[in-house]
């Protein structure tokens, strides 16, 4: 009974640790229904750094085995420092996003807050509801024999 109780306590501790790890990882890869909030957060970050969004057009979704991505075509006008600050914030953003197809051009008519025109594709990654349901329905394989093996007894310590 003591061994079973110890196994149960070990299982509960491992389960709690996995729940906490899952919560942390879920923050990185949101569900599809949370994607709108992620994209709004990116737009808010752009505006707070002085970027003027001239285009924010959704493109095709990327479908992978375990995740999906929403690609957005983005065009902004800003100062170089504002654009750098925006990308620095994205690098430390809690969600997983990527920037590809980056183009940067100097504006012919510049002002203090508008010196460059930047074009890039931003991809915000998420997990679809269907994939979460599929993963939840996959049964966890049971150990051989259908029972949980008892932990090995600790090795006896030599007398001092």
């Amino acid at each position: 009974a003591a061994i079973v109780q110890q196994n149960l306590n070990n299982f509960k501790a491992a389960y709690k640790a996995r729940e906490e790890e899952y919560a942390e990882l879920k923050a990185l890869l949101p569900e599809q229904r949370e994607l709108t909030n992620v994209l709004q957060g990116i737009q808010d970050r752009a505006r707070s750094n002085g970027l003027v969004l001239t285009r924010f057009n959704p493109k095709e979704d990327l479908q992978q085995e375990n995740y999906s991505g929403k690609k957005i075509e983005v065009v902004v006008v800003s100062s170089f420092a504002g654009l750098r600050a925006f990308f620095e914030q994205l690098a430390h953003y809690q969600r997983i996003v990527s920037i590809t197809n980056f183009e940067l051009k100097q504006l012919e008519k510049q002002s203090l807050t508008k010196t460059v025109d930047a074009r890039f594709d931003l991809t915000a990654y998420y997990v679809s509801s269907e994939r979460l349901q599929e993963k939840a329905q996959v049964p966890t394989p049971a150990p051989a024999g259908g029972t949980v093996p008892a932990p090995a007894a600790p090795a006896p310590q030599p007398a001092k």
Side-chain angles (χ1 to χ4, degrees), residues 14-157:
Y15 182 76
K16 183 177 179 185
R18 294 303 168 262
E19 277 186 324
E20 291 170 359
E21 182 181 5
Y22 175 71
E24 290 173 9
L25 293 175
K26 188 177 175 187
L28 295 175
L29 194 62
E31 292 182 34
Q32 186 173 11
R33 65 177 181 255
E34 299 170 19
L35 188 59
T36 303
N37 294 336
V38 172
L39 296 176
Q40 184 62 49
I42 291 170
Q43 287 180 342
D44 292 344
R45 280 177 168 70
R47 288 185 187 103
S48 71
N49 284 299
L51 279 67
V52 176
L53 291 165
T54 57
R55 186 175 304 149
F56 198 84
N57 291 337
K59 295 173 103 176
E60 71 281 354
D61 281 8
L62 306 171
Q63 300 295 327
Q64 297 295 324
E65 185 177 336
N66 295 317
Y67 63 89
S68 300
K70 183 65 176 173
K71 188 176 271 196
I72 310 289
E73 178 186 10
V74 181
V75 178
V76 298
V77 176
S78 75
S79 68
F80 185 80
L83 186 62
R84 182 201 56 80
F86 171 69
F87 285 138
E88 187 173 331
Q89 282 186 351
L90 283 185
H92 295 96
Y93 193 39
Q94 184 180 14
R95 306 297 189 171
I96 300 174
V97 295
S98 68
I99 302 292
T100 55
N101 302 327
F102 181 79
E103 295 178 23
L104 183 65
K105 295 180 183 174
Q106 182 177 353
L107 292 175
E108 289 188 24
K109 286 188 166 185
Q110 296 185 8
S111 69
L112 191 58
T113 58
K114 297 177 183 174
T115 58
V116 293
D117 174 56
R119 299 169 184 268
F120 53 89
D121 290 334
L122 181 140
T123 305
Y125 296 94
Y126 64 94
V127 62
S128 67
S129 302
E130 296 83 24
R131 294 205 196 283
L132 281 178
Q133 290 174 356
E134 287 172 10
K135 296 294 181 187
Q137 293 175 357
V138 174
T140 305
T147 60
V148 177
Q157 300 294 321

